[in-house]
Amino acid sequence: MASEFEELAVLPEIIRAVAEMGWHLPTPVQAEAVPLILGGGDVCISAETGSGKTGAFSLPIVQLAFEALKERAPAGPTTTLQETGELRFTPALAAPSLSLDPTGLIVASVNPQAWLGARAPVGPTQGAHYFEMTVLRDGLMRVGWSTFAGSPDLGTDAQGVGYGGAGKHSYNRDFTTYGEPYGKGDVIGVFLDQHAGTYAFSKNGVVFSFLPLPGPLRNQTLFPAVLTKNCEA
């Protein structure tokens, strides 16, 4: 069924969102103000509480911001990401002493003395990508991106970048303060934007600063990688 918001030139995405909130008909204030604001007009509204003034301003503001960001977005092909078994860790690309569960989604190290690493068998060559790992047991972990030639000891050579549980970013044995320390129960997100040449990490949904990819990692296939020491994730 068509929505009367369509007559106000509101985008379908916003119409669906407000419908989920129970907004099916614009109020008189919204019906008059929304088209004027979308058309670039200056609007001043005086109306009683509950007349829909907030929606009258917020709907066009959201739409104008969305359209502006869409225009600024880089042109190019887009890829729909799907979870596949190929993106899971495999014994062939893991340290012999590192334990993997049958799904390939959980890695475990019980050696308190040695760092043990693993790398996914496939990685992205273009576009924007993300994966995450949850720390299931206290210990030490470093997670990030690596080229195929990268060292299993993630972050100790020029072919990989990592973010460790001590709150350190690592690249080529250069360890610098980044984000926050993390441990058991924390969910660590790993971001990569190969078009922009940047990457970042997050902790429990809080995204830390994006960093430029080092030269040797640009225009390369980058693989999800993890390094653990007496840890399960």
Side-chain angles (χ1 to χ4, degrees):
M1 183 178 67
S3 168
E4 290 194 20
F5 280 103
E6 292 182 19
E7 299 178 5
L8 309 183
V10 176
L11 289 172
E13 295 90 340
I14 298 178
I15 293 174
R16 289 194 295 270
V18 298
E20 293 176 359
M21 298 168 55
W23 295 14
H24 301 290
L25 295 173
T27 66
V29 168
Q30 293 166 356
E32 185 173 355
V34 169
L36 292 175
I37 298 174
L38 289 176
D42 295 325
V43 175
C44 179
I45 298 175
S46 177
E48 63 184 8
T49 300
S51 61
K53 295 189 298 294
T54 301
F57 285 114
S58 62
L59 290 178
I61 288 173
V62 169
Q63 179 158 323
L64 292 171
F66 173 80
E67 291 174 337
L69 291 172
K70 191 173 181 180
E71 291 178 359
R72 291 168 52 190
T78 59
T79 301
T80 300
L81 300 183
Q82 301 181 29
E83 180 184 339
T84 70
E86 293 178 319
L87 297 181
R88 305 175 187 218
F89 296 110
T90 64
L93 294 173
S97 299
L98 187 66
S99 298
L100 276 69
D101 82 325
T103 69
L105 296 175
I106 297 178
V107 298
S109 164
V110 295
N111 189 333
Q113 305 298 325
W115 285 97
L116 302 175
R119 187 174 65 229
V122 297
T125 58
Q126 61 182 354
H129 302 270
Y130 169 87
F131 73 95
E132 65 183 32
M133 299 195 72
T134 301
V135 183
L136 302 176
R137 189 180 72 230
D138 281 329
L140 298 176
M141 182 178 84
R142 191 180 305 153
V143 64
W145 300 100
S146 171
T147 68
F148 189 78
S151 169
D153 294 331
L154 182 65
T156 62
D157 64 3
Q159 299 295 323
V161 291
Y163 168 44
K168 298 288 185 180
H169 170 271
S170 56
Y171 172 69
N172 206 19
R173 294 194 179 277
D174 182 18
F175 298 87
T176 57
T177 299
Y178 177 89
E180 301 174 353
Y182 61 83
K184 182 180 179 180
D186 291 325
V187 179
I188 307 304
V190 187
F191 299 80
L192 174 66
D193 186 339
Q194 287 171 303
H195 179 85
T198 59
Y199 65 101
F201 302 91
S202 67
K203 173 185 173 182
N204 301 329
V206 177
V207 182
F208 304 122
S209 58
F210 274 77
L211 305 171
L213 278 172
L217 275 65
R218 289 179 175 265
N219 302 314
Q220 299 288 329
T221 300
L222 296 178
F223 301 84
V226 62
L227 186 65
T228 63
K229 186 176 184 180
N230 198 31
C231 182
E232 182 177 357

